[in-house]
Amino acid sequence: MNEFEGLNIEQRHGKARVRVARVWRSKQGRHFMVEWNVSISLLSDCINAYLQDDNSDIVATDTMKNTVYAKAKECSNQVSVEEFAIQLAKHFVSYYRQVTSAIVNIVEKPWERVHIDGQPHEHGFKLGSERHTTEVIVQKSGALQITSGVEGLAVLKTTKSGFEGFIRDKYTVLPDTRERILATEVTGSWRYSYESVFNIPQKSLYFTERYLDVKKVLMDTFFGCPKEGVYSPSVQSTLYQMAKVVLSRFHDVSSVKLKMPNLHFLPLNLSTKDNIIVKFEDDVYLPTDEPHGSIEASLSHIPSKM
């Protein structure tokens, strides 16, 4: 924060929505590809641009855009979205003396390899659904924050869900039930415990594997075992169980945040004023997401007092 003419000034600048795709080709002829949407924000000492009409300390946002393309080209081996974000952020804080911190947000578009007649295609891809996200903050000292996540993870189960025993008042018309569809679109994020660019895992594509593992745990906990499933007494309870299992399963995850809107499937009866023409029997529903319930929570480990 800077002070000038009796005012406090906080500032940052960057480049948003820089789209880049990268293709890697193995010696065996198989292609691998990613598509990233990159946003960069720099905290830097360029206050004179605001106060003195002096741009000499500004890293141009067009330069930031070009840096994304150049750094993607430098990645001769396949990298995770987290690794690329770290490389970008490290470049800005080390290359420019004015830059004290770099914040890089990336959303990975879900291109997935197609399978033809049960065989993986060498260079064919289809667009999936949920998106892999990351936010990386690197300071000039090397201090690091990594948060990864998933957006648009749509899940639904047609039974093993209920909602009862909630507060009832004169405005309450929702009946208690132990039989309903549970559907949501999970937006989740998890903070890694790595605090320096010098102690991150060196294993290739480590964060990509971790993303897939966390996503699998979230889904497995939501659905339960294939035959019996698992009963959900509320979205809140299911959200808590999902986050708790992630924290207990992965030693390098320090906190989890989940947002799970309750996407409603309303039971349908066809009726007139005098009689029911078609009676609902847990089989015909009206899908709707407006309005929907909004449920979110964060879980984190309690720091040791030792």
Side-chain angles (χ1 to χ4, degrees), residues 248-265:
S248 65
R249 192 73 57 87
F250 303 108
H251 69 278
D252 56 354
V253 172
S254 60
S255 64
V256 180
K257 180 178 181 180
L258 297 178
K259 182 176 182 180
M260 294 172 53
N262 191 3
L263 307 180
H264 302 298
F265 283 71

Side-chain angles (χ1 to χ4, degrees), residues 187 236 239-240 243 256-260 295-299:
T187 299
Q236 286 86 343
L239 182 155
Y240 173 73
V256 180
K257 180 178 181 180
L258 297 178
K259 182 176 182 180
M260 294 172 53
I295 296 93
E296 58 184 286
S298 301
L299 272 70

Side-chain angles (χ1 to χ4, degrees), residues 3 22 77 135 139 158 203 227 230-231 245 284:
E3 294 184 10
R22 181 64 160 98
N77 296 318
E135 179 183 80
Q139 298 179 18
T158 54
K203 179 182 177 183
K227 292 292 184 183
V230 60
Y231 181 72
V245 175
V284 179

Side-chain angles (χ1 to χ4, degrees), residues 213-232:
D213 290 341
V214 171
K215 188 173 69 169
K216 182 178 186 302
V217 165
L218 292 172
M219 295 177 66
D220 289 353
T221 309
F222 177 89
F223 291 113
C225 63
K227 292 292 184 183
E228 298 299 324
V230 60
Y231 181 72
S232 170

